[in-house]
């Protein structure tokens, strides 16, 4: 028996809609501060997928501008290389004593030192020997999926395979050593909508005040 054209068209539209829905499916993780309920940007969300290939290494920049690191939090896969260009008019001395990546880039201004390899999973805490207030973090991940929360404290994890996967979250204010992770009590799935509430023990650092010279220089750059 031949189907009517409108029945065939309806079936096709239904199938297309289902495929689009499956293609758009993503787990959404929202991270908040347990004390205030406010969203937490700059949290790193990791998902471990058993048997999956690890994320490929990359090359990224963490630059210095206005006596601060940009970005404040980076997430890279194991084997990645990070460059530290100086976009200030003053010299910087960038270093890390973290086991994840010990390095020391002596005073430099215009010439960017060679990239630093990060071959061990963990968290590298960055500092500057000239400007004590400067601090940043590089999370080196050996997970298959990882992402940094946006200003709404959210990440969308697309293309997770079927099944349940280990979930953990890091934030620079979890504790003083900056090495602690929050472990999810239950795994995450491909269509999960999950809220994570973190109890923070480290106070947020106040923004460093710029000198009048820095302020004039920044105004000149913006004109």
């Amino acid at each position: 028996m031949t189907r009517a054209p409108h029945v065939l068209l309806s079936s096709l539209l239904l199938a297309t809609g289902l495929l689009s829905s499956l293609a758009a499916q993503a787990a959404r993780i929202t991270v908040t501060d347990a004390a205030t309920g406010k969203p937490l940007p700059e949290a790193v969300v990791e998902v471990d997928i058993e048997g999956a290939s690890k994320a490929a290494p990359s090359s990224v920049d963490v630059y210095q501008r206005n006596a601060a690191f940009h970005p404040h939090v980076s997430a890279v896969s194991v084997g990645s290389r990070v460059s530290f260009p100086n976009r200030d008019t003053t010299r910087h001395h960038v270093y890390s004593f973290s086991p994840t990546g010990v390095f020391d880039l002596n005073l430099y201004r215009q010439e960017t030192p060679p990239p630093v390899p990060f071959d061990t999973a963990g968290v590298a805490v960055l500092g500057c020997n000239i400007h004590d207030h400067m601090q940043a973090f590089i999370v080196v991940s050996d997970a298959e999926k990882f992402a940094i929360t946006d200003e709404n404290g959210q990440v969308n994890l697309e293309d997770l395979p079927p099944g349940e996967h280990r979930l953990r979250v890091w934030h620079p204010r979890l504790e003083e050593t900056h090495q602690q992770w929050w472990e999810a009590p239950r795994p995450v799935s491909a269509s999960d909508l999950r809220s994570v509430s973190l109890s923070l023990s480290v106070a947020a650092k106040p923004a460093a005040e710029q000198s009048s010279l820095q302020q004039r220089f920044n105004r000149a750059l913006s004109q």
Side-chain angles (χ1 to χ4, degrees), residues 7 16-18 20 22-23 39 41 44 47 67 82 89 106 125 155 165-166 178 195 208 210:
V7 174
T16 302
L18 288 173
S20 298
L22 290 172
V44 177
V47 176
V82 181
T89 56
N106 215 331
V125 183
V155 295
H165 315 291
R166 177 191 180 205
H178 308 294
S195 292
Q210 295 182 350

Side-chain angles (χ1 to χ4, degrees), residues 94-164:
V94 180
Y95 70 91
S96 172
F97 296 142
S98 304
T100 299
V102 178
F103 67 92
D104 187 19
L105 306 179
N106 215 331
L107 284 171
Y108 66 97
R109 189 175 68 180
Q110 293 181 336
E111 293 187 5
T112 302
V116 177
F118 288 87
D119 297 325
T120 304
V123 181
V125 183
L126 309 180
C128 175
N129 265 335
I130 308 303
H131 307 91
D132 290 341
H133 67 273
M134 289 178 63
Q135 190 178 65
F137 305 90
I138 298 176
V139 178
V140 185
S141 176
D142 59 0
E144 293 74 17
K145 288 276 187 181
F146 57 87
I148 301 176
T149 55
D150 60 18
E151 64 274 9
N152 298 314
Q154 293 184 338
V155 295
N156 288 325
L157 301 167
E158 299 181 351
D159 302 323
L160 290 182
E164 296 184 327

